[in-house]
Amino acid sequence: MKLRTRHALALVGSAAALSFALTGCSALNSILGSGKADADRDDKTGQVTESSNIGIFALKVGDCMLSAPSGLLEDVDVVPCTEPHDEEVYHEFKMEDGEYSAEAIDDASVQNCTGDAFTSFVGVAWDATTLDVYPITPTQQTWDQMNDRVVQCVISDPAGQISVSLKGAAR
């Protein structure tokens, strides 16, 4: 299976958890990554209008981004989808509350990132595609300390950068 799992890096200690509890998400984004809280976005569509470095928790469905050189995500460079980019967030879902389980998250990621959401977005079934996907998943720390339950599905073209959304790519 082409699905690659890559956990978002969140270096959160006691100070970060306390800061989150006291000041909220904006401060936490600043602690977790060097990126700003969010990108400049079109008021109507929510699409990124200017290249920006944002905290990982500001990443939204429809965002196009450059791949992280280290492979670890704590902040991310987003760009308008009409500019060269490596990846696009095409779907997200929430895990149910409970104990953290990497296996349960991985199983849900495979099901959700390669199932109906993929087919609806790309226009062909997972087993007929040439594209790659991976999930951005909660880590044990973000699950426990930040109540992070969101999994985001990210798509890319293994042939290289593109300057268009992969929505409807049918390949």
Side-chain angles (χ1 to χ4, degrees):
M1 172 159 288
K2 291 189 268 182
L3 184 70
R4 296 173 282 140
T5 302
R6 179 165 54 168
H7 291 277
L9 175 65
L11 299 174
V12 182
S14 304
L18 177 60
S19 177
F20 176 69
L22 296 176
T23 61
C25 293
S26 295
L28 188 57
N29 274 328
S30 297
I31 291 168
L32 288 176
S34 59
K36 64 182 188 173
D38 199 2
D40 292 330
R41 296 180 181 276
D42 181 273
D43 291 335
K44 293 179 183 170
T45 65
Q47 295 295 305
V48 171
T49 58
E50 275 187 46
S51 299
S52 300
N53 181 269
I54 61 173
I56 191 66
F57 293 103
L59 194 60
K60 296 174 177 39
V61 171
D63 284 356
C64 293
M65 59 189 179
L66 302 175
S67 57
S70 68
L72 301 174
L73 299 176
E74 55 186 23
D75 61 297
V76 64
D77 293 321
V78 293
V79 298
C81 291
T82 55
E83 293 183 12
H85 59 275
D86 303 302
E87 304 169 337
E88 179 178 358
V89 179
Y90 70 94
H91 179 65
E92 73 179 18
F93 63 95
K94 275 185 108 171
M95 295 293 297
E96 291 187 25
D97 285 337
E99 291 296 314
Y100 176 84
S101 168
E103 184 178 336
I105 292 170
D106 288 345
D107 289 347
S109 296
V110 169
Q111 180 180 357
N112 282 279
C113 293
T114 63
D116 291 340
F118 180 88
T119 303
S120 294
F121 184 78
V122 175
V124 297
W126 169 250
D127 58 1
T129 191
T130 60
L131 303 171
D132 287 335
V133 300
Y134 73 87
I136 299 173
T137 63
T139 64
Q140 178 82 50
Q141 277 186 308
T142 63
W143 185 278
D144 292 342
Q145 296 177 7
M146 299 168 41
N147 200 32
D148 180 16
R149 304 294 186 265
V150 175
V151 175
Q152 292 178 315
C153 303
V154 179
I155 192 167
S156 64
D157 185 340
Q161 284 191 328
I162 57 171
S163 296
V164 64
S165 171
L166 289 170
K167 183 175 179 79
R171 56 186 167 104

